[in-house]
Amino acid sequence: YVGNKRVLEIGCGSGYGANYLATFASSVMAVDISPEGIAACRCKYNRENLVFRETDGLKLPFASSSFDVVISFQVIEHITPKNVLNYLSEIKRVLNEEGIFLVATPNSRIRLLPFEKPWNSEHMREYKAEDLKKLLSRVFNEVKVYGLCASDELQAIGYGRVKHSPWKTYHSPWQAYMVLPASRLLGKLMPSFLRNGLKKIRRGSSGIRKNNNVVPQDTFIHRYSLNDFYVEPTCPKYCLDLYGICRKV
């Protein structure tokens, strides 16, 4: 997609992706809203065809049809829903007529239970494949959504990292409004010696338990590689991430 192309990356973060893209692209303009992040990128990466710039993705300071490809990975979920069409329209504006937009975002189907809001406080909305395709199709004429999948072992690790307990998810709001006030009232009515005894028991059982299933980081990075991941055009429901591939015309 990016070979010998003029590329814009929106939300470049620490810059390693933009630096990699610059290996193949004719030029890469990498933007991010964080001034500290952009300053760090400029210090770390130095290529003639790579420029880092502090920019708000909702108001791109580039002329129309300036780029062949726009990439924005793990960004769209951070944008307030009322602003997301503006974000996509700006991307379409700066693309040339044959331009391509590549977007990646977590798959909410494996992260969120029905009616659950994103538990990552920085995520404004997370998307299922059908939701992402519907949204992108409001701006782009041709949209395909693929899924990022992995080997069985990595798929299980990825799924286990983000899955939530229905009990904790749905029980917590009820607990906050009903159970906790009642327990506080009961605590006030309880004799002090009994209340203090229960506090000691609770403190003694609150230690952190070792999770024997956690793979040490050094072992993890040597055990797995990019070869353990693949992009599936059929976009399975329980893929790890979603990839949108959009054409302007």
Side-chain angles (χ1 to χ4, degrees), residues 111-145:
R111 295 169 60 87
L112 303 178
L113 295 167
F115 308 109
E116 183 183 10
K117 294 181 179 180
W119 41 264
N120 185 326
S121 60
E122 295 183 355
H123 289 189
M124 300 296 103
R125 181 182 174 182
E126 295 180 4
Y127 299 88
K128 298 182 180 70
E130 56 270 27
D131 299 328
L132 182 65
K133 185 172 184 178
K134 183 178 180 180
L135 173 63
L136 296 173
S137 296
R138 295 181 64 180
V139 177
F140 294 92
N141 291 332
E142 181 183 321
V143 174
K144 296 179 180 179
V145 176

Side-chain angles (χ1 to χ4, degrees), residues 64-93:
S64 299
S65 303
S66 296
F67 300 97
D68 304 310
V69 180
V70 176
I71 293 176
S72 193
F73 285 179
Q74 312 299 330
V75 172
I76 194 170
E77 66 273 10
H78 293 267
I79 299 175
T80 305
K82 68 178 182 179
N83 293 329
V84 74
L85 287 178
N86 181 32
Y87 156 80
L88 295 174
S89 297
E90 275 290 273
I91 290 171
K92 183 177 181 180
R93 180 185 66 80

Side-chain angles (χ1 to χ4, degrees), residues 19-180:
N19 183 63
Y20 180 72
L21 292 171
T23 307
F24 312 97
S26 61
S27 65
V28 176
M29 174 64 69
V31 304
D32 199 280
I33 200 170
S34 167
E36 297 83 7
I38 290 297
C41 290
R42 288 171 176 165
C43 290
K44 189 172 184 178
Y45 301 109
N46 184 18
R47 291 177 183 264
E48 290 185 358
N49 65 336
L50 174 59
V51 175
F52 290 100
R53 180 169 177 175
E54 179 191 346
T55 293
D56 185 346
L58 299 179
K59 188 181 293 186
L60 298 174
F62 308 115
S64 299
S65 303
S66 296
F67 300 97
D68 304 310
V69 180
V70 176
I71 293 176
S72 193
F73 285 179
Q74 312 299 330
V75 172
I76 194 170
E77 66 273 10
H78 293 267
I79 299 175
T80 305
K82 68 178 182 179
N83 293 329
V84 74
L85 287 178
N86 181 32
Y87 156 80
L88 295 174
S89 297
E90 275 290 273
I91 290 171
K92 183 177 181 180
R93 180 185 66 80
V94 300
L95 278 171
N96 64 29
E97 287 304 306
E98 297 180 353
I100 295 177
F101 171 46
L102 305 174
V103 56
T105 190
N107 178 15
S108 75
R109 191 177 294 278
I110 69 168
R111 295 169 60 87
L112 303 178
L113 295 167
F115 308 109
E116 183 183 10
K117 294 181 179 180
W119 41 264
N120 185 326
S121 60
E122 295 183 355
H123 289 189
M124 300 296 103
R125 181 182 174 182
E126 295 180 4
Y127 299 88
K128 298 182 180 70
E130 56 270 27
D131 299 328
L132 182 65
K133 185 172 184 178
K134 183 178 180 180
L135 173 63
L136 296 173
S137 296
R138 295 181 64 180
V139 177
F140 294 92
N141 291 332
E142 181 183 321
V143 174
K144 296 179 180 179
V145 176
Y146 293 175
L148 176 68
C149 302
S151 63
D152 291 344
E153 186 175 6
L154 271 181
Q155 187 79 20
I157 292 173
Y159 182 70
R161 184 180 68 86
V162 298
K163 72 176 181 179
H164 272 191
S165 162
W167 168 255
K168 290 183 178 179
T169 299
Y170 299 126
H171 173 254
S172 295
W174 177 78
Q175 182 186 43
Y177 289 106
M178 299 293 293
V179 177
L180 291 180

